[in-house]
Amino acid sequence: DQQVKQNSPSLSVQEGRISILNCDYTNSMFDYFLWYKKYPAEGPTFLISISSIKDKNEDGRFTVFLNKSAKHLSLHIVPSQPGDSAVYFCAASPNNAGNMLTFGGGTRLMVKP
Amino acid sequence: SQTIHQWPATLVQPVGSPLSLECTVEGTSNPNLYWYRQAAGRGLQLLFYSIGIDQISSEVPQNLSASRPQDRQFILSSKKLLLSDSGFYLCATEQDNEKLFFGSGTQLSVL
């Protein structure tokens, strides 16, 4: 039973365009959400997070949107760059902190020059 | 700042052999520590977490065990590896109580 789902295993985007990565969750107890970026043979690195009291959080080219009623969040990258090519994981936590994370299956983003 | 040391980076082991993966953390005291696994084509699954020495919680039934003999040392073990134990193993600790900080991982191949 996957509580956090990323339904698109891969996404290909042209450099300079917007990348939109989606994530759905089922557990209504989740109240803190994070996105991680992972390169091959490396550990994931934290990208951006959002608390359930907000519906948007922005950090440079990265923006995360949260729709609590739909139990859906998305990560927007604008403009996309070739260096953004990686696997992106969304994660959720039930205790308003970035621990005890449940991860989605990941989406591989490929940004073409 | 925190640093996580994981070794080895890659490991190839035969089925039925034992396993010991070590993780040490620097730059923090009394950290909460985690072992995650990424199986091929799948997401990150929490295996174990520890809030202190000799305090281990297991999240999923499995062929693996964890131990924490020292404050900043977390060990993942198995007595007899299975093919299904193959995967990318990640040690993590909490950072600023806001997020998990991961080590560089160990790629384990069981043949």
Side-chain angles (χ1 to χ4, degrees):
Chain A
D1 178 29
Q2 280 189 284
Q3 298 186 64
V4 179
K5 292 184 180 180
Q6 294 176 254
N7 291 318
S8 297
S10 64
L11 174 67
S12 183
V13 172
Q14 204 67 34
E15 181 179 6
R17 306 295 293 268
I18 184 171
S19 295
I20 300 177
L21 297 95
N22 294 303
C23 179
D24 297 293
Y25 62 96
T26 57
N27 190 340
S28 57
M29 299 300 292
F30 288 146
D31 57 11
Y32 192 70
F33 305 89
L34 307 89
W35 284 93
Y36 280 81
K37 177 180 178 180
K38 184 183 182 298
Y39 293 116
E42 294 183 9
T45 55
F46 170 77
L47 200 54
I48 193 169
S49 63
I50 187 167
S51 168
S52 60
I53 62 174
K54 295 183 177 181
D55 54 19
K56 177 184 175 181
N57 188 25
E58 190 173 353
D59 183 2
R61 297 186 296 115
F62 303 91
T63 303
V64 55
F65 295 92
L66 175 62
N67 183 333
K68 290 184 290 293
S69 60
K71 293 189 176 65
H72 176 82
L73 66 154
S74 61
L75 174 68
H76 292 211
I77 306 174
V78 182
S80 301
Q81 299 173 356
D84 296 328
S85 297
V87 177
Y88 289 78
F89 291 98
C90 71
S93 172
N95 55 0
N96 199 30
N99 56 14
M100 300 304 296
L101 299 180
T102 299
F103 283 84
T107 296
R108 181 177 301 279
L109 173 65
M110 293 163 285
V111 180
K112 297 180 179 179
Chain B
S1 62
Q2 296 176 356
T3 305
I4 297 179
H5 299 281
Q6 268 191 262
W7 64 91
T10 59
L11 187 61
V12 180
Q13 291 284 103
V15 170
S17 64
L19 173 74
S20 180
L21 300 181
E22 188 162 342
C23 168
T24 58
V25 180
E26 295 179 358
T28 183
S29 60
N30 195 29
N32 290 341
L33 297 174
Y34 301 78
W35 277 112
Y36 277 85
R37 175 176 62 199
Q38 182 186 15
R42 303 189 66 179
L44 300 167
Q45 182 184 35
L46 177 61
L47 302 177
F48 300 96
Y49 72 94
S50 171
I51 61 173
I53 294 174
D54 294 330
Q55 300 180 69
I56 311 292
S57 294
S58 174
E59 289 299 296
V60 293
Q62 59 198 302
N63 183 44
L64 303 168
S65 62
S67 61
R68 187 167 174 179
Q70 300 180 38
D71 180 47
R72 288 174 285 177
Q73 184 185 31
F74 204 20
I75 298 172
L76 185 70
S77 304
S78 173
K79 292 182 179 178
K80 289 186 178 182
L81 283 169
L82 306 172
L83 287 174
S84 57
D85 293 323
S86 294
F88 191 57
Y89 288 83
L90 291 154
C91 179
T93 185
E94 294 173 21
Q95 191 172 46
D96 305 324
N97 199 34
E98 294 180 345
K99 53 188 177 284
L100 289 184
F101 174 71
F102 287 89
S104 55
T106 295
Q107 182 64 53
L108 172 66
S109 299
V110 183
L111 305 176

